[in-house]
Structures are given as C-alpha cells and as structure tokens.
Amino acid sequence: MKEGWKELPIGAIIKEAGSSIKFETGDWRTRKPVLNKEKCINCLFCWVFCPDSSIIVENGEMKGFLYSHCKGCGICAEECPVKAIEMVKEEV
Amino acid sequence: MPFDLKELSKEKDLFAPGHRACAGCGPAIVMRQIMAVAGKDTVVGFATGCMEVVSTIFPYTAWRVPYIHVAFENAAAVISGVEAAYKALKRKGKINKKINFIAIAGDGGTYDIGIQALSGALERGHNFLYVCYDNQAYMNTGIQRSGATPLGAHTTTSPAGDVIPGKVQWRKDLTEIVAAHGIPYAAQASPSHWNDLMEKVKKALETEGPAFINVLAPCPVGWYFSPERTIKIAKLAVDTLFWPLYEVENGKHRITYKPRKPKPVEEWLKEQGRFRHLFQEKNRWIIEEFQRQVNERWERLLRLEEASL
C-alpha cells in the first residue's frame, strides 16, 4: 500500500539515504553510449567524469552503462582517450 | 600520490544517480569527485542552489551521507553549528570518531548571498571545509548574473544587445578574498584536473581549522554549449589561465598546475554561446580587455608564488 501523508516524517526529513536511485532518469536520453570492449583500456576516466554515476565498474573494470539513469550527455565518449565509447541515436 | 580510480570506484557512490541535474552537469561531477575523497563519515550542509534543488526533491535524496539543506545565505553558519555540536558531544565522550564537515554552495550562495556567513565562520575558525561550485551565474532560477559572472557574459539580467554587450563588470576574486582571512587552507580547482581536485579536498579535510575550495563547474545550459563538452571547457579555462589551479597554505601561494603553453583566452570564449556576441566587430575590445585582466591576474599570482618561496 502507498503511504499517505500521515506516514510522512515531520520536517521534510528523508529517511532513506540515496533514494533518488528509485527515480529513473534514463528516459531523458536522446543518444546512448555504447562501449567497444575491445578498445577499452579501463582507465576509468568515464567513471570519474560521469555526472550521473552511470558507469558500471566491477573490480576496476569498466563493464558498461547504467541505462536506467544515464541521461546521454556524451561526456564519457568525448573524454575517452581511446574512443571506445560511441554515442548512437536512442531508439524509441 | 595520485588517486587510484580503480580503488575509488570500488566504493558506492555517495552522490547517487537519479538526481535531476541536466545532462552534462558540471556541478554534479564536482559533487561526485568531492564525495569520493570525503568518504561516508561526512556531514554535508548545503545552501540553496542548483545542486540542492536537483539532489533533494522530496521524497528522494541523492545523498548517502547526513545532509542538511539550509537557506541561500547560511550554509557556513549552519555547518559551524553542526561542528560545534560535534565538539560538545566529543567532550562528553558520546562520540569519538573523526567526522568531516563540508558546506557546499554555488557561486550565488557564496560570492553574493552567503559571503557574510562564510566570512564569519572562517574568522571563528571552525574545523570545516567550504566548497563553492562556481558555475558563474544563478543557473537554477534561470541564468541571472552573479558576482562570479565574467566580463561580457550574456545572462538574462545582463542580456547582450544594443544597450550593453553582456555583463559590464569584472568578476570578484573570491579565492583571494577567502585567503585574505588568513585561514590555513584555500584553493582553486577544476573537475577536468580530477587528481588535483581530489588532492586538494584531501588536504583540506586533513587541515585543522577552516578550509576553502573554489571549483569551476561549467554549466551547459547557462554557458550555452553542448553537454558533452563540459570537461573540455573546464580544461580550456585552466589552459587559457582564466582559472588558475593553485592553493594558499598558511599564507603561502603555490600554483599546482602551470600550462606549458597557455592558450589565448579567446579559445575558451568561442566555445560558449554566452560570449558569442563578443566576436562581433564592435565588441572585440572586450576580448582584449578580458585577456588583459587574465594576464594581469596570472602575473600577480606568479609574483605571489615567488614571494612565498
């Protein structure tokens, strides 16, 4: 059941840390990044420059994109030193 | 020691995705880079501004650390109170771990509206870090000019046209204003040089007493450029000497990055729509004046560095 206003905490406190992750911003995208794993050197510049924490890294290895939240700005593709990321038109 | 991105990326992002910042947002990159160094034992006090508006839209929050939103003018005053409460708890033995206190505000909340609260907190000597993400106008309310907007920039309250060629005043040099308080640490950084920024954050948090970092944060919407260019434009600001990377530690200036071949400031200006009108023949003098001011400030900085040796 959805919480009503009586269940809301007093003082506009938000009890759950990082709850914004439930709000998906991926549908803002008009272009999407695509990774060419063969070219990738795992420098992780894409990770450090992504405004939306949408680069998935596991144990220091670039694994792809969090498409549910990536807004398609294209900074990762622009900053990639080996051009391993390509921006393609988002299909609806 | 350079920061290892492989290690940093193992930790969960303390600034979560799902915030409503525009695509290519410079300030959001700054938040992530700061929080990657600060770690989870951090309390953030936030003035009103872009990053507050986009990160804490009720009932969501992008923060994974304790966070207080306060008014436009008093981020520094509130973080002072939090730090004082922490000291009291520590004295009573109720808490004993080290906690970082960070106040964050934009240029509107720092250069203009919050400067007296900031100045007071610096003078009282609280142990905190104040970060100003400087996107050079009031972006969240619709690109109004601020004390940080550079000469000649078009904003909605300094519109370029027949009457004025964009903003007619030069900007405040806030880093120097803050450094003039004689605090232990003040610095200027850019997200394009992430390692430099992270080292400054680390140093600032280790400093006993007030610390301040002014970070350039390009805004694709307010500066009129394509969102993928954010980092390129931050880098150009550094390479054209418009935004020198330096620190002032106990009164001593040190430039942390000197571009080997500084570029003319024109190269930074032409990338941004807000300066487009400066390239008309009648406004060319503004570019020359801009370059003159940049050179003058850089020379001054070099002299300050020399005097600090």
Side-chain angles (χ1 to χ4, degrees), chain A residues 31 73 75, chain B residues 23-24 220-221 223-230 233 271:
Chain A
R31 302 171 301 164
C73 65
I75 290 179
Chain B
V221 177
W223 296 13
Y224 304 92
F225 63 79
S226 185
E228 76 276 4
R229 302 285 295 164
T230 305
I233 285 178
E271 289 272 343

Side-chain angles (χ1 to χ4, degrees), chain B residues 54-132:
Chain B
V54 303
S55 69
T56 51
I57 297 176
F58 194 81
Y60 300 106
T61 176
W63 296 88
R64 288 184 174 131
V65 295
Y67 167 100
I68 313 173
H69 164 227
V70 288
F72 228 136
E73 63 273 27
N74 58 353
V78 167
I79 212 73
S80 304
V82 177
E83 188 256 2
Y86 163 77
K87 268 192 200 148
L89 288 171
K90 209 170 178 184
R91 205 163 46 234
K92 290 176 185 165
K94 289 183 176 169
I95 198 165
N96 51 27
K97 67 175 169 185
K98 186 190 180 305
I99 295 177
N100 301 318
F101 298 97
I102 308 183
I104 311 178
D107 55 294
T110 309
Y111 284 70
D112 300 343
I113 309 175
I115 196 165
Q116 61 89 9
L118 171 62
S119 180
L122 298 175
E123 186 268 332
R124 290 190 302 271
H126 294 279
N127 188 16
F128 75 114
L129 162 65
Y130 191 104
V131 176
C132 168

